[in-house]
Amino acid sequence: MRRSEQREHIFKLLFMTQFNSENEMSDQVSMYFDTLGELEEKDQEAIQNKYQHILEHLDEIDQILNEYSRGWKTTRMNRVDLTALRLAVYEMKMDEEVPVGVAINEAVELAKLFGGEDSGSFVNGILGKIASGKKDSGEEHKKPRRQTHSAKIIIRSSKKDGKASKDQKNL
């Protein structure tokens, strides 16, 4: 099984945790794997291990997400987006086998596949901030002001020598 397929199964298991208690999840995980039919033991083990590691680091992952997502705390996020973000943050920060770019791309694809029309760009934006290490300061970003040019108006005197008069004005 390819890693992207494993990642999709992990995503689905993580998503289920938002609707089931911790006690219920052990049964849910068993039923989930039963519905998959033939699955190699090494793949099931890899999926379960990564799923468990993410759950163990969930508080830390959510803290990172809350630091970088201005105006969108984890309690307010769409559940699909939150699940994709949690998986990606785990891979970016705690799984050395997954390159950051791969974690971001895969999360964006999962968000597009299972989320709303803006899910992909939302997930990409937050993960981009995390990858770059740039947190928002909380201030609105102002567009730079367009530089204005000052004009100099010269009022010529009626003198024939063509010199500017003392009435020069700067605007």
Side-chain angles (χ1 to χ4, degrees):
M1 177 181 290
R2 294 187 344 238
R3 284 189 182 193
S4 59
E5 291 175 88
Q6 287 181 354
R7 192 175 281 110
E8 186 174 326
H9 292 300
I10 295 164
F11 171 86
K12 289 175 181 178
L13 290 172
L14 286 173
F15 186 75
M16 289 168 36
T17 62
Q18 297 180 64
F19 300 97
N20 296 288
S21 70
E22 204 173 312
N23 294 334
E24 295 171 323
M25 274 312 293
S26 61
D27 290 337
Q28 292 294 324
V29 170
S30 295
M31 286 190 298
Y32 179 79
F33 284 118
D34 289 344
T35 64
L36 294 180
E38 298 259 337
L39 182 66
E40 289 187 35
E41 189 176 324
K42 67 177 179 124
D43 290 328
Q44 183 172 339
E45 191 175 298
I47 292 167
Q48 283 184 302
N49 285 338
K50 194 167 196 174
Y51 165 73
Q52 285 300 325
H53 286 130
I54 294 169
L55 291 181
E56 290 168 11
H57 294 281
L58 208 52
D59 290 338
E60 185 180 346
I61 291 167
D62 285 354
Q63 181 181 350
I64 292 168
L65 287 170
N66 285 324
E67 286 176 18
Y68 283 91
S69 58
R70 196 182 98 214
W72 285 96
K73 299 304 174 202
T74 54
T75 55
R76 193 172 162 230
M77 289 180 190
N78 171 315
R79 291 181 182 187
V80 169
D81 298 351
L82 177 59
T83 303
L85 287 165
R86 284 173 168 170
L87 177 55
V89 169
Y90 172 80
E91 289 183 334
M92 292 167 68
K93 299 290 186 181
M94 296 152 204
D95 189 344
E96 295 177 7
E97 293 181 14
V98 180
V100 171
V102 171
I104 293 172
N105 289 338
E106 291 286 332
V108 169
E109 290 305 314
L110 286 168
K112 286 179 181 178
L113 181 63
F114 295 108
E117 70 180 57
D118 294 332
S119 291
S121 58
F122 177 75
V123 167
N124 188 53
I126 292 176
L127 295 177
K129 287 180 191 177
I130 293 170
S132 70
K134 295 180 182 175
K135 297 178 189 174
D136 281 341
S137 63
E139 296 178 5
E140 289 291 323
H141 293 290
K142 295 182 181 177
K143 290 183 179 179
R145 292 185 70 186
R146 192 172 149 202
Q147 187 176 5
T148 57
H149 299 286
S150 60
K152 190 179 239 185
I153 299 175
I154 300 173
I155 302 174
R156 304 264 177 207
S157 68
S158 59
K159 293 184 181 178
K160 301 245 179 193
D161 61 10
K163 293 182 185 175
S165 75
K166 296 177 185 174
D167 297 310
Q168 291 181 347
K169 296 182 180 181
N170 288 324
L171 296 177

